[in-house]
Amino acid sequence: MKDVFDLSAQVPIQMSGMRFDQIASELFPDFSRSRLSSWIKDGQLKVDGRKAKPKDKLIGGEVLELKAELEAQGDWEPEEITLDIVHEDDDLIIINKQAGLVVHPAAGNYTGTLVNALLNHIPGLINLPRAGIVHRLDKETTGLMVIAKTLEAHTDLVEQLADRTVSREYEAVAVGAMTGGGTVDAPMGRHPIQRKLMAVLSAGGKRAVTHYRVAKRYPSHTHIRVKLETGRTHQIRVHMAHIGHPLVGDQTYGNRFKIPKGANQHLIDTLKSFPRQALHAFKLGLEHPGTGEYTEWTAPLPEDFKNLLDALNTGFTLVDD
């Protein structure tokens, strides 16, 4: 079923002299500027029943008429993939993503993704940009994600992410014994040589800020809690590696495995076999697009992460704080 919008609004006199697209974004705030501009160009958003250009200036008193239909945003197919749904209402879904699940179809992973799973759960998401997905987690990172169920909610959530009002907190295990928490403020961008990777850049990178604090310290590892101020691709993994504390299991940004001094065989085996980066998005907070109230959700640690912490707890003598 397609979403159809049939809305109208009169242009206030005080907006006289403003561009059509600027006025439209003021009068129809539930939709993004790019979406409104597209509807203007397609003639689905008109002025007094006639098609106009986005840059045309209005004098006030005109009636804007929006009659638009959302079209499929991709040719992805629904697949029956289990979802751990933490919360769902008319506006959004909160899921606890499992390890190994790619978020969005791309070359090499066109099926078996979160998008395919979501379309099986709610077929109408095919009409939303990226099937309602507004942010990502890496394939092997577990934890909380929010998905919009309507175009209005999608616009709202994208704006919250851009304004950095969405709170995202992570649990992680880093290599090395940290002395304390801190902040990594280091711009990031594509690696200048290995273009599939991200890197801290001295010039030309985008601002990237990561806050972290120590949850528990071990002789050769540290359990940390991380809060993102910005949301760059692979940000936590790159930033922790940048300060010399890559995440356990990170084959991309980590160093060659070294056996911790004084570790027992169980800990050595657990560390060597840990199948992914030790990173879990455990808390997500945002202003609910439907109610306007700030709401938070949490997700428990997955079993492999808990087993890693158990091995660290019994693997050698703890260091006193």
Side-chain angles (χ1 to χ4, degrees):
M1 181 178 178
K2 294 182 178 180
D3 290 321
V4 179
F5 302 101
D6 189 351
L7 305 170
S8 64
Q10 188 168 26
V11 179
I13 296 299
Q14 51 267 42
M15 288 188 177
S16 177
M18 291 176 61
R19 289 167 49 124
F20 179 18
D21 55 357
Q22 294 173 327
I23 293 173
S25 68
E26 294 286 338
L27 298 184
F28 301 110
D30 287 337
F31 309 110
S32 68
R33 291 193 176 193
S34 60
R35 175 71 63 174
L36 289 168
S37 180
S38 175
W39 283 336
I40 291 171
K41 292 173 183 176
D42 291 344
Q44 297 182 84
L45 178 52
K46 298 179 179 181
V47 180
D48 288 336
R50 61 179 176 80
K51 187 174 179 179
K53 296 178 180 178
K55 65 180 181 180
D56 286 351
K57 293 184 178 181
L58 307 184
I59 62 173
E62 301 95 336
V63 175
L64 304 190
E65 299 166 303
L66 172 63
K67 293 184 179 181
E69 181 178 271
L70 291 183
E71 300 290 340
Q73 300 296 297
D75 57 357
W76 317 298
E77 295 292 332
E79 293 181 52
E80 193 169 341
I81 300 170
T82 300
L83 288 174
D84 181 0
I85 298 175
V86 176
H87 171 84
E88 182 174 4
D89 56 41
D90 291 341
D91 301 291
L92 52 77
I93 310 171
I94 305 293
I95 67 153
N96 181 16
K97 189 184 86 65
Q98 61 265 42
L101 183 64
V102 174
V103 169
H104 200 275
N109 291 103
Y110 202 71
T111 61
T113 72
L114 176 58
V115 165
N116 302 109
L118 288 170
L119 292 178
N120 184 66
H121 181 60
I122 305 175
L125 292 179
I126 190 69
N127 297 322
L128 298 182
R130 297 186 179 276
I133 293 170
V134 294
H135 67 117
R136 297 189 183 197
L137 291 177
D138 296 338
K139 177 182 177 181
E140 300 299 343
T141 299
T142 57
L144 295 172
M145 289 184 62
V146 57
I147 296 95
K149 290 178 66 173
T150 68
L151 187 57
E152 295 89 339
H154 185 275
T155 302
D156 185 281
L157 292 170
V158 168
E159 289 178 352
Q160 288 191 55
L161 285 162
D163 293 340
R164 299 176 185 167
T165 57
V166 175
S167 177
R168 290 171 289 172
E169 297 185 47
Y170 296 73
E171 301 256 14
V173 177
V175 176
M178 296 182 175
T179 57
T183 296
V184 184
D185 187 345
M188 288 177 52
R190 288 285 169 191
H191 193 285
I193 299 173
Q194 298 172 284
R195 301 301 293 172
K196 290 185 178 181
L197 304 185
M198 305 299 290
V200 168
L201 302 178
S202 56
K206 294 182 178 179
R207 184 169 183 263
V209 181
T210 303
H211 306 283
Y212 65 94
R213 60 188 175 90
V214 173
K216 196 165 190 177
R217 205 161 46 240
Y218 304 93
S220 59
H221 293 80
T222 310
H223 176 198
I224 57 175
R225 292 195 173 95
V226 184
K227 188 168 185 177
L228 288 179
E229 185 173 322
T230 57
R232 307 301 173 200
T233 301
H234 300 173
Q235 180 174 315
I236 294 174
R237 298 165 63 191
V238 170
H239 270 177
M240 299 318 296
H242 177 66
I243 63 172
H245 295 286
L247 302 187
V248 168
D250 194 338
Q251 300 296 318
T252 302
Y253 299 105
N255 302 320
R256 178 180 292 184
F257 176 75
K258 293 182 180 179
I259 296 176
K261 185 177 180 180
N264 62 27
Q265 192 59 48
H266 175 62
L267 175 58
I268 294 170
D269 292 343
T270 301
L271 290 169
K272 288 178 70 173
S273 64
F274 197 76
R276 62 187 184 89
Q277 63 268 8
L279 186 61
H280 173 70
F282 82 96
K283 184 182 289 186
L284 176 68
L286 52 84
E287 186 178 286
H288 193 285
T291 66
E293 295 181 0
Y294 183 79
T295 311
E296 285 187 343
W297 297 268
T298 58
L301 289 173
E303 286 302 312
D304 62 351
F305 202 116
K306 288 193 290 187
N307 291 339
L308 174 61
L309 293 180
D310 288 342
L312 286 167
N313 277 312
T314 59
F316 33 45
T317 304
L318 297 182
V319 175
D320 293 332
D321 287 333

